[in-house]
Amino acid sequence: MIEVRKAGPDDFPQVAELLHHSAADMYDRFAGGRERALRVLRRSLGEPGNASSAEVVWVAAVDGQVAGAMAAFPVDEAATRARAFLRLALRGSPPWRWPVALYLYWAGGRAAPSPPASALYIDALATDPGFRRRGVARSMLAAAERAAREQRLPAVALDTTIANEPARRLYASEGFDEVAYRPPGRGLPGFVALVKPLA
């Protein structure tokens, strides 16, 4: 049985690993390595107002074990939450890392197509490799739909890399439409934006 719930303090180490897994290369480049990236993510979970605060992170647990994590919030909060995450990351980084982090923040914000303004945006979604193909990601997507409806938002939006065919197939099977594409560039992969309107 899969239980989807908000992340709590006891979940933070596992959730940080899963959020990192959702975009490991970008997090590592942004923070200057895997360990630094994980430290930033663990810290971000405990600080409200950023893109990976516990207040916007759900976990999917299978038989009590954390099997997946998802960060999601209304699109109109995205810019504020992203800036808060950037400030948090810069506070814990040596100044010589700042130019790279600032460039990736700027470039990353332009690399993915913009989601519709009135949607719940899934910023990160990851399943532990040991729990794949057991319905974990589908359960989290269903939780995102419920959250969107509770907040009276008419759609759920997300993006993924163009090369991530398994994720694109999953999202298509869950009713998401591919609505925009951005080609690779500036050292970043190509992205595809997906939206699921809610009836």
Side-chain angles (χ1 to χ4, degrees), residues 22-43:
S22 73
D25 180 59
M26 287 297 291
Y27 279 122
D28 292 352
R29 290 170 62 194
F30 182 78
R34 184 176 189 277
E35 288 310 312
R36 280 189 177 137
L38 288 170
R39 279 198 301 272
V40 169
L41 284 164
R42 284 191 292 268
R43 201 163 56 247

Side-chain angles (χ1 to χ4, degrees), residues 7 21 23 58 61 86 90 182:
H21 186 71
W58 285 258
L86 174 67
L90 293 178
R182 288 274 173 85

Side-chain angles (χ1 to χ4, degrees), residues 160-186:
T160 191
T161 57
I162 289 174
N164 192 348
E165 292 291 344
R168 291 171 69 181
R169 284 194 298 272
L170 167 68
Y171 301 141
S173 73
E174 288 294 308
F176 284 80
D177 297 317
E178 295 189 355
V179 296
Y181 304 86
R182 288 274 173 85
R186 296 179 175 154

Side-chain angles (χ1 to χ4, degrees), residues 43-62:
R43 201 163 56 247
S44 73
L45 285 157
E47 291 199 23
N50 72 80
S52 52
S53 298
E55 69 210 11
V56 295
V57 173
W58 285 258
V59 297
V62 176

Side-chain angles (χ1 to χ4, degrees), residues 34 49 67 74 85 99 106 134:
R34 184 176 189 277
F85 184 85
W106 175 83
R134 293 175 64 176

Side-chain angles (χ1 to χ4, degrees), residues 29-30 98-109 185-188:
R29 290 170 62 194
F30 182 78
W98 294 0
V100 173
L102 288 166
Y103 171 76
L104 287 170
Y105 170 79
W106 175 83
R186 296 179 175 154
L188 298 172

Side-chain angles (χ1 to χ4, degrees), residues 3 10-11 15 17 32 38 43 65 78 82-84 96 111 129 134-135 149 154 167-168 172 174 189 193:
E3 174 200 12
D10 291 344
D11 304 314
V15 170
E17 291 273 356
L38 288 170
R43 201 163 56 247
Q65 288 186 277
R83 283 193 300 271
W96 57 266
R134 293 175 64 176
R149 291 180 197 282
R168 291 171 69 181
E174 288 294 308

